[in-house]
Amino acid sequence: MEVQQLSLDRIETLPQHITEAILCLMPFRDAVSTSILSKDWRYNWAKIPKLVFDTEDMFDWMAITDQVSKPVLDEEDLEWEDSFYVGPRTNHYKRTVYNAINDILFLHEGQINDFTLILHIDNISVEIDQTMNYLSRNNHTTLKKFKLDLGDHHNLYRLPLSIFSFHRLTDLYLKVCDLDFEPIFTGFGCLTSLHLENVRATTTTLLRLLSKSPSLKSFTLIKTEFHIGDDRFLNRDEYSLTDLFECLPVIEHFCVSMSVIGVVFCCCVVPHKLPPSLVHVKHLTLDEVFFPQCIPFALLMIKCSPNLEKLKLQVTIYRKYSYFQSETDDVTYSDISLEHLKELEIEDFANMKSELDFVKFILTKSPMLKKVSICLHPEVDMLEEVMTLRILLHSPRASPMVKIIVECPPKKYKGRTHITDPL
């Protein structure tokens, strides 16, 4: 009994900043559950500067707080597809979720530095507007990290102008949002990380946003096929890659869809050179890469990134749009030297000749390469998998320490993985 009392006293006497640090490292539902530890801890969770609302586990902490009763949902209220939870369709569910969020915000004390809202619910623009108004009124000078993820819905949420009042933001993540207006704001001088996914905007708005964020080191610009070819997304206003990279003078982590680069900024023509700002790029991710059509631009990006440490390609085998005019397999850059590249990762590798040639090229040009990770496309059979591994195993390598990993998607082949040890 004395041991229990001693432990309880230690918990109750922790400094407030230590308590907040502990609670911020816990999942939000677990942080709320600490209210049962003691009377003094009952509302400690209401003072933490980090709030995360996610519809996938919201009912857990709603039950803990007893602020909202957990609704009983019939089977027809839920959509399930291949054991993947899509979410309830009822208005009752939407009201319950947002009542819980409002209750949490009402009980919260102090400033909010980190706010995450992950909602896979349709038609909630009004409710999100209320949350945005709350943040802009009470935390516009303290909020540093903001994430708004609306899943894979086709209804884009139009961001209010109040988003630009968060002048101290360091991390901004937007998914399924509409930025299709010309904001007048002084800029995000502290912003270092920007993630835009399924975001609709004109190129003018995008470049203005980037130019007003001079400290940006990590930038992601990706989208789904739903938006490809839609002139409402990143309307083409005759901007070039030079205009884009001039807005990213210190970029280190860059992730972009080839459709954005090819259609919006290159007009489907591979440029001869890129701006010198790429010398800072350490991690490069290219999404929607179609082989061999995208090889010229991929090699150009690599050539202009001499300090590249990690390269990741997300391959697509579906050619629905023409990104670049050049479609030849005979594209070489003999003067490329990847002195700092340590890791190459390729997803949905289809075992095409152009893909294999690309990997072999990287192997011969990367003396510091430590890991090559290749995840095959589900349509690649076992025989092709073995042949791929054999070809890469006997390919020349500039690095004697490189480890090559070839694996299949776990759904089809239950995660067959082959690893070749370094030479």
Side-chain angles (χ1 to χ4, degrees), residues 271-315:
H272 295 291
K273 61 180 180 178
L274 295 178
S277 60
L278 292 180
V279 297
H280 300 287
V281 174
K282 296 180 180 179
H283 292 190
L284 175 64
T285 300
L286 300 178
D287 191 36
E288 298 178 324
V289 178
F290 181 83
F291 278 85
Q293 189 184 30
C294 294
I295 289 180
F297 181 78
L299 290 176
L300 179 62
M301 289 284 289
I302 294 171
K303 180 181 179 180
C304 297
S305 306
N307 295 309
L308 192 63
E309 296 180 1
K310 181 177 179 179
L311 174 64
K312 180 178 179 180
L313 304 182
Q314 177 66 55
V315 179

Side-chain angles (χ1 to χ4, degrees), residues 2 131 143 162-163 169 172 229-230 265 269 401 419:
E2 293 180 359
T131 302
L143 192 64
S162 59
I163 186 70
L169 277 180
L172 178 60
D230 187 349
F265 292 103
V269 177
M401 66 186 78
I419 302 175

Side-chain angles (χ1 to χ4, degrees), residues 364-382:
T364 60
K365 295 292 184 177
S366 309
M368 300 300 295
L369 193 62
K370 294 182 178 180
K371 181 181 178 181
V372 174
S373 178
I374 296 177
C375 183
L376 300 174
H377 189 273
E379 298 301 323
V380 177
D381 59 32
M382 185 179 296

Side-chain angles (χ1 to χ4, degrees), residues 106-123:
F106 178 77
L107 293 172
H108 189 270
E109 303 174 6
Q111 63 186 24
I112 300 176
N113 299 334
D114 189 341
F115 190 86
T116 297
L117 194 59
I118 303 176
L119 299 175
H120 296 181
I121 310 174
D122 281 322
N123 302 319

Side-chain angles (χ1 to χ4, degrees), residues 291-292 295 329-330 349-360 391:
F291 278 85
I295 289 180
D329 279 318
D330 301 324
F349 192 87
N351 201 33
M352 296 170 56
K353 179 182 181 299
S354 55
E355 294 173 324
L356 286 170
D357 290 343
F358 180 83
V359 176
K360 290 190 288 185
I391 291 172

Side-chain angles (χ1 to χ4, degrees), residues 40 141 167 201 216 240 262 276 303 313 320 331:
D40 292 335
T141 61
H167 299 300
L216 198 62
S240 66
K303 180 181 179 180
L313 304 182
K320 293 186 177 181
V331 178

Side-chain angles (χ1 to χ4, degrees), residues 132 135-136 139-141 143 146 158-169 172 174 178-189 191 194 196 199-201 204-206 208-210 212-213:
M132 295 294 295
L135 292 174
S136 62
N139 299 275
H140 67 279
T141 61
L143 192 64
F146 179 74
R158 184 175 178 83
L159 283 167
L161 286 173
S162 59
I163 186 70
F164 299 105
S165 67
F166 305 135
H167 299 300
R168 302 207 174 181
L169 277 180
L172 178 60
L174 300 175
D178 189 351
L179 273 170
D180 195 11
F181 56 83
E182 297 185 2
I184 301 175
F185 68 110
T186 58
F188 294 128
L191 194 67
L194 176 62
L196 301 179
V199 173
R200 185 174 63 195
T204 301
T205 300
L206 174 65
R208 180 180 288 111
L209 174 61
L210 296 177
K212 297 291 185 177
S213 308

Side-chain angles (χ1 to χ4, degrees), residues 63-108:
I64 293 172
T65 58
D66 289 330
Q67 298 300 323
V68 181
S69 299
K70 184 175 180 179
V72 178
L73 301 176
D74 297 330
E75 291 183 1
E76 61 183 13
D77 290 332
L78 300 173
E79 295 178 355
W80 296 84
E81 181 178 353
D82 295 330
S83 299
F84 175 76
Y85 178 68
V86 177
R89 295 173 296 189
T90 61
N91 288 328
H92 175 64
Y93 172 81
K94 182 174 71 173
R95 289 194 303 270
T96 302
V97 168
Y98 245 92
N99 284 340
I101 293 177
N102 289 333
D103 288 339
I104 294 295
L105 293 178
F106 178 77
L107 293 172
H108 189 270

